[in-house]
């Protein structure tokens, strides 16, 4: 599984153990096994990104942030999630 591969081995072991304990099952159970399941997973990811895009569109071109010209906590949260995804899945 590629999730978390950017971490050093010792850190990865801790990261994996704590996530599996929190989720109640092995991380491998979250990886789609068939091409159809993978395609469905990506469809759901894209739906989520469309929601985020809607937040950014709601400022009607008044700036690059969710609230327009002013950065907000929503921007920090979206940015941190995107950076996490980039680090762990790329």
């Amino acid at each position: 599984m590629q999730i978390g591969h950017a971490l050093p081995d010792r850190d990865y072991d801790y990261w994996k153990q704590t996530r599996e304990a929190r989720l109640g099952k092995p991380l491998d159970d979250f990886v789609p096994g068939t091409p159809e399941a993978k395609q469905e997973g990506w469809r759901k990811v894209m739906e989520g990104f469309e929601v985020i895009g809607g937040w950014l569109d709601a400022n009607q071109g008044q700036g690059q942030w969710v609230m327009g010209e002013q950065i907000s906590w929503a921007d920090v949260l979206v940015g941190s999630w995107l950076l996490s995804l980039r680090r762990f899945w790329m």
Side-chain angles (χ1 to χ4, degrees), residues 8-81:
D9 289 341
R10 191 177 89 193
D11 295 339
Y12 174 75
D13 292 341
Y14 172 79
W15 181 83
K16 183 178 178 187
Q17 179 183 21
T18 56
R19 293 331 176 262
E20 288 179 343
R22 185 182 304 157
L23 296 168
K25 60 183 177 179
L27 291 177
D28 290 334
D29 289 354
F30 291 96
V31 177
T34 66
E36 293 82 14
K38 288 179 184 178
Q39 186 175 15
E40 176 63 15
W42 278 113
R43 186 189 63 74
K44 290 178 181 179
V45 167
M46 293 307 296
E47 284 178 2
F49 281 124
E50 288 174 9
V51 169
I52 294 170
W55 298 341
L56 296 171
D57 289 341
N59 71 29
Q60 300 174 350
Q62 298 299 310
Q64 64 183 352
W65 310 108
V66 173
M67 300 295 290
E69 292 290 332
Q70 181 177 353
I71 193 167
S72 67
W73 186 245
D75 298 300
V76 173
L77 292 176
V78 170
S80 64
W81 272 101

